Amino acid sequence: MDNGILVTESFSYAKETLIGKWTRWLIFIICGLPMALLPFIFDPEKIAKATEFSWDLIPWKEMAVLFIAAFLLSFILSGYLARIYRGAATPPEFDNWGPLYIDGIKIFVTGLLWFIPVALAFLLMIAFAILGLSQDSHQPGPLGISLVVIFVIITVALAIIALLYSMMGIIRCARTGSIREGIRFTAITGILRSIGWVNYLIALVVLFVIGIVFFFALSAISLIPYVGDIIQLVFIPVYTIFSARYMTRVYEHSEPQGAGPVLTG
């Protein structure tokens, strides 16, 4: 697997998706707008400068509206990405909105299911830490410490598994149309073995490094008054599409030559 070729091809795919296709780009911008507006209604400095903290300093209603809007609009984006995950040779369109939205929900649920065990293990770790406190000294006892350490290890292990498996599971869900297939551990293990564990880890590192560089540059641009946040909102779709295409091409290295996506509904 040549990561250089995958990066170049995925970047070209992102350009083909957005450059000259202003309607697509605008839809991405609109879907990202609620979270981009959040800093304009919530000012942490205002709370920090307050002599006395008050819950009234937080604009709860406005924040709730933006979070709900962002949540609902996210399914449009994830539904579009599902079409990329299926291996479309040319960038897909925003059409057939009903199926697209349902695909987005499936993608979201699949990713969420992979991280539920991590969340449960983390909550158990917190619970044992609290229950293990000595009533006299308010310090954890030997049993409490042991249980917390065990669940720290379990939480970290589950988080690593979720990080490694969830992306391939999401792509498998998009290609099969089945959430169950997206969380089938043995099937995804087979995919990772076909790709090669070393190849897969290198691919993830490459994507991570590119992401760090990309978002570091955007963070620097965002410091420009007024214009910076707009530029950031405009260019985030480039990395979103690039990463979706890149991981799709990584996934396809597990398939026989010429094999296409299989949709079950």
Side-chain angles (χ1 to χ4, degrees), residues 130-141:
I130 295 173
L131 294 174
L133 291 176
S134 170
Q135 294 182 353
D136 298 327
S137 62
H138 298 290
Q139 297 294 324

Side-chain angles (χ1 to χ4, degrees), residues 175-224:
R175 293 192 166 216
T176 63
S178 170
I179 294 174
R180 180 181 297 179
E181 290 298 323
I183 59 173
R184 184 169 291 179
F185 187 84
T186 54
I188 298 170
T189 299
I191 290 170
L192 295 176
R193 286 175 178 170
S194 297
I195 296 171
W197 283 101
V198 173
N199 289 334
Y200 184 60
L201 291 174
I202 291 174
L204 291 180
V205 170
V206 169
L207 183 62
F208 177 76
V209 170
I210 292 173
I212 290 294
V213 173
F214 181 85
F215 283 103
F216 178 80
L218 279 188
S219 297
I221 292 173
S222 68
L223 297 176
I224 303 173

